[in-house]
Amino acid sequence: QVRLVESGGGSVQAGGSLRLSCAASGYGSSTASMGWVRHPPSKSREAGEAVAIIDENGNTGYADSVKGRFTISKDNAKNTVFLQMNDLKPEDTGTYICAADTGRSTPRELLREIIYFDYWGKGTQVTVSS
């Protein structure tokens, strides 16, 4: 059974940093593309935006809104994916959900369509105040 568990969310002021972690079990992070999907407050799941993707070869992709501020990485030995978020802005506020795709979609495809993700975590809340 695939399970994704996020941690590391919290409340920070604008300009601050947070590091999110996603521990995966039930499959290897080296064989799937992993990503972080941000859901704004009070929005439906369909309103989620993929902000960072890393594929099985370590290739990454980012949404324009986070380029230069967020960095996704992974530790295959620990089956964990990380999202380092720097220079946070109030518009980064939302629930960050870890997701996995075992269908070999590219980072570009996953940034465009979150429906390609097969598995989802429950999310961790990030709140950025101005």
Side-chain angles (χ1 to χ4, degrees):
Q1 182 178 358
V2 176
R3 189 171 181 226
L4 304 173
V5 179
E6 304 93 336
S7 61
S11 298
V12 296
Q13 290 191 324
S17 298
L18 284 173
R19 189 187 194 213
L20 307 183
S21 298
C22 172
S25 61
Y27 73 95
S29 62
S30 62
T31 60
S33 292
M34 304 289 295
W36 291 91
V37 177
R38 177 172 65 199
H39 289 260
S42 304
K43 296 291 185 181
S44 67
R45 179 167 177 165
E46 289 72 23
E49 172 194 25
V51 296
I53 308 294
I54 186 166
D55 71 11
E56 62 271 20
N57 297 315
N59 299 308
T60 59
Y62 299 92
D64 289 342
S65 60
V66 306
K67 278 181 182 176
R69 300 188 297 120
F70 289 13
T71 302
I72 189 169
S73 61
K74 63 178 179 174
D75 184 335
N76 288 334
K78 296 182 178 180
N79 247 12
T80 301
V81 177
F82 306 97
L83 184 66
Q84 178 66 43
M85 305 186 294
N86 298 327
D87 190 22
L88 282 161
K89 303 177 180 180
E91 51 264 41
D92 293 320
T93 293
T95 301
Y96 284 72
I97 301 177
C98 179
D101 166 60
T102 58
R104 305 287 180 178
S105 301
T106 65
R108 186 174 181 178
E109 290 171 332
L110 292 168
L111 285 169
R112 187 181 305 143
E113 294 288 349
I114 63 173
I115 61 172
Y116 291 131
F117 286 112
D118 304 306
Y119 302 101
W120 298 79
K122 294 184 177 181
T124 185
Q125 179 66 33
V126 171
T127 302
V128 185
S129 58
S130 57

